[in-house]
Amino acid sequence: MNILIITQYFYPENFKSNDLAFELKNRGHDVTVLTGIPNYPEGEIFEGYGFFKNRKQVVNGVKVIRSLLLPRGKGGGLRLFANYYSFAFFASIKAFFLGLNNSFDSIIVHEPSPITQYYPALLINKLWKTPVYFWVMDLWPESLSIAGGVKNKFVLNYYTKVIKSFYKNSEKILITSKGFRGAINKKGDFNNKIVYFPNWAEDSISEGNKDFPIPPLPDGFKVMFAGNIGEAQDLDNIMMAALQLTENKNIKFILVGDGRKMPFVRDFVQNHKLDDTVSIMGRFPVEAMSSFFDKADVMLVTLKDDPIFNLTVPAKLQAYMSASKPVVAMLNGEGAENIIDADCGFTVAAGDYSSLAKTILAASQLSNIELQQMGNNSRKYYEDNFKMSSCISNLEKIISKKS
């Protein structure tokens, strides 16, 4: 098939769109990615890229077309708005010419947020009737209201109408969490379009080099959080749990990643003198994750207590499971249910930092054999439910209309 993937985020940024494009190419498909100039998460354009540099590339056999956009900067509201809509505008211009010169069999819109990434696909769909497969990883306008703090009813109603039109024009709506089905159907009768399409873990994590060079980690019982450090991940309550465990010097919190909440984390650690028990490692390439995960005793996954997040399964959960690690979770909903079903760790209610602290303390007292069995259960659940090869095979059936 001749496939166009539209996403604001692509290699060298670290998103599932990378796996999707490269794996489809490996399977013999002709894959083109329409994306932006890489600037996530720091908000600055990556070295080696620019408005006049590397706008067209071939990466692992995938044709990459990079649209202009205004970098997200520090991530303030107006700057994010400009970032989202500048990509949508310039990518739509690129999409018009791509549609003129190519006959795509299908378009996949990868939408971790924002939904404005759909506009270029909508243009091609309207002009050339190319079917669009909308991979929904973030619910709008719910996410805009909760994670973005937008409360204006006019704005929320506007985006409700926008997302309804996107759903209406989609051939299929691919959802990463089964809980999304109800929220989407509240906006219209889209049930026949909805297909469950879960996240997976990158092969470089599950099968990667455990000897990849990383900085030394502290001795002790290592509780590792890896990934985006943002509002949704509830770092406030992670830090409160760390504060409660201050006297237990053997328990070490290790944060691998970066995001908008990192200044808060650094200030909290400094103000509460948690340097001995909280290690901030920063952001590393995905190739380093296998080495980091291998040295952790348990992996930590958290989400704020909010209806939209209760419908979400964090992508990091699949990564943790693929790496055969026990999981400690402070979240509600489907993600917690997965951990319980897999019997691969511990769950406490979202926002309950006191229970999180007690649970981590209890986990630190388990034997290596008990922890290893939980890790084995993690891997088995991943193999049965979230392996990339199975997910992409299912996607091939969907977009070839054989499902």
Side-chain angles (χ1 to χ4, degrees), residues 199-213:
N199 275 313
W200 57 82
E202 294 88 349
D203 287 343
S204 55
I205 293 176
S206 57
E207 302 167 14
N209 176 18
K210 293 181 173 59
D211 295 321
F212 191 98

Side-chain angles (χ1 to χ4, degrees), residues 64-86:
V64 182
I65 311 296
R66 297 191 183 277
S67 165
L68 291 171
L69 53 67
L70 181 70
R72 59 193 287 124
K74 298 298 182 182
L78 288 177
R79 191 63 181 264
L80 282 178
F81 180 89
N83 173 252
Y84 295 165
Y85 276 93
S86 62

Side-chain angles (χ1 to χ4, degrees), residues 171-245:
E171 184 77 16
K172 293 291 183 182
I173 304 166
L174 312 178
I175 57 173
T176 55
S177 170
K178 294 176 183 177
F180 282 9
R181 182 181 292 270
I184 291 172
N185 278 327
K186 285 182 180 179
K187 299 176 179 65
D189 185 11
F190 302 114
N191 200 54
N192 291 335
K193 293 187 175 187
I194 298 174
V195 180
Y196 178 54
F197 183 60
N199 275 313
W200 57 82
E202 294 88 349
D203 287 343
S204 55
I205 293 176
S206 57
E207 302 167 14
N209 176 18
K210 293 181 173 59
D211 295 321
F212 191 98
I214 61 173
L217 301 182
D219 294 331
F221 184 79
K222 300 176 187 64
V223 181
M224 184 174 292
F225 177 99
N228 184 43
I229 297 180
E231 288 292 340
Q233 286 72 37
D234 200 7
L235 272 298
D236 302 67
N237 283 314
I238 293 177
M239 289 296 98
M240 289 300 297
L243 187 61
Q244 287 204 348
L245 291 168

Side-chain angles (χ1 to χ4, degrees), residues 25-26 49 113 119 131 147 152 177 218-219 224 237 248 262 270 308 312 319 321 333 381 394 397 399 401:
K25 179 61 182 178
N26 288 340
Y49 295 85
S113 205
Y119 280 114
N152 186 289
S177 170
D219 294 331
M224 184 174 292
N237 283 314
N248 300 91
M262 185 54 81
Q270 181 178 0
I308 187 174
T312 301
M321 287 180 164
Y381 196 84
N394 185 37
K397 293 178 182 178
I399 64 178
K401 303 182 181 180

Side-chain angles (χ1 to χ4, degrees), residues 1-45:
M1 288 177 281
N2 188 10
I3 300 168
L4 174 63
I5 298 173
I6 298 178
T7 175
Q8 191 166 330
Y9 313 103
F10 191 67
Y11 180 89
E13 295 165 317
N14 182 27
F15 282 83
K16 287 290 186 289
S17 51
N18 301 349
D19 292 333
L20 178 67
F22 299 149
E23 180 64 16
L24 287 172
K25 179 61 182 178
N26 288 340
R27 294 181 181 217
H29 302 289
D30 190 1
V31 181
T32 302
V33 175
L34 174 57
T35 187
I37 299 172
N39 69 109
Y40 183 93
E42 290 92 346
E44 297 180 0
I45 293 175

